[in-house]
Amino acid sequence: MLTVGIFVFDEVEVLDFAGPFEVFSTASRVRAKAGAVPFRTVTIAKSPRPVRSRGGLQIQPHHWFGEHPHLDVVIVPGGDVAAELRDDSVIRWIAATATAARLTASVCTGAFLLAAAGILDGKRATTHWEDIDELRQSYPRVKVTAGPRWIEEGDVVTSAGISAGVDMSLHVVRRLADAHLAAATARQMDYDWRDGGAAAEPGVTPDGASPRS
């Protein structure tokens, strides 16, 4: 079983973290009907206190910095990330946790946090369409790319705005489990999967199939 850890913080965008959480938890529920559960999904915050997301939704994290299991997959969502970018403890945690993880991903403006941690240096990456120029100007070492729903660069995957995190997460399920489970998860969610990603070789996903647009 792979442990998926989703970072949550004050002013996190709700669908940025809840979309991936739903994908991985649903994938496990679907697969549990036929065999071993592939994913355990947890939320991680800076401290044990509840987190207030954008819109006022309160989140009680499962774990916090210094008290969480080893993470195989790290997901950094977006939202208003200004305070997190100024917090050295956040940047250090992302850098250290990503180094030990099998795969690191961001949703929307979570790409700014990955960039601040040096994880995107020399890599193609994307973010919300409204923030493309700012990401490009703020982090010139990042090959910022507009258009794809998600971009995969080895063990790092970034996705565009908000709902694109669901599409990216389904791709990660496909990559770490299999294509059948990813499709079954999208169907269980009654979700029209808009793949539209860019894998290591542009236009080709790791399983050799052309991305759907």
Side-chain angles (χ1 to χ4, degrees):
M1 182 189 298
L2 300 177
T3 299
V4 179
I6 303 176
F7 177 47
V8 291
F9 50 91
D10 287 337
E11 296 302 312
V12 64
E13 188 74 46
V14 173
L15 193 57
D16 278 19
F17 80 85
F21 191 99
E22 181 71 16
V23 169
F24 290 104
S25 59
T26 299
S28 290
R29 190 167 72 248
V30 168
R31 181 53 58 86
K33 298 174 183 177
V37 173
F39 304 107
R40 172 176 59 151
T41 311
V42 299
T43 54
I44 300 170
K46 291 186 284 188
S47 72
R49 71 169 181 80
V51 167
R52 185 180 186 277
S53 71
R54 269 184 163 176
L57 178 67
Q58 295 283 328
I59 311 156
Q60 180 60 56
H62 294 107
H63 300 281
W64 46 93
F65 291 0
E67 190 288 305
H68 62 77
H70 170 76
L71 303 180
D72 300 288
V73 179
V74 180
I75 297 181
V76 179
D80 184 349
V81 298
E84 310 313 306
L85 285 171
R86 294 191 298 268
D87 190 331
D88 289 342
S89 71
V90 170
I91 305 306
R92 286 196 304 268
W93 180 83
I94 291 172
T97 310
T99 297
R102 180 171 173 179
L103 186 146
T104 301
S106 68
V107 182
C108 194
T109 53
F112 283 79
L113 295 171
L114 295 193
I119 294 167
L120 301 183
D121 285 357
K123 292 182 171 63
R124 291 178 303 152
T126 194
T127 188
H128 192 284
W129 60 266
E130 196 171 37
D131 301 289
I132 285 286
D133 289 342
E134 183 179 353
L135 183 63
R136 184 176 289 125
Q137 293 165 11
S138 299
Y139 301 97
R141 294 183 179 179
V142 181
K143 300 175 183 178
V144 180
T145 305
R149 297 285 283 173
W150 51 263
I151 294 176
E152 178 183 83
E153 287 278 274
D155 59 358
V156 178
V157 188
T158 56
S159 62
I162 310 179
S163 66
V166 176
D167 301 310
M168 177 196 71
S169 297
L170 287 164
H171 165 70
V172 173
V173 169
R174 176 174 60 194
R175 170 174 167 170
L176 298 181
D178 56 68
H180 175 75
L181 179 59
T185 299
R187 179 172 175 78
Q188 180 66 32
M189 293 172 60
D190 207 2
Y191 182 72
D192 183 13
W193 184 7
R194 294 178 57 199
D195 198 339
E201 295 181 10
V204 179
T205 61
D207 60 5
S210 296
R212 296 185 298 276
S213 58

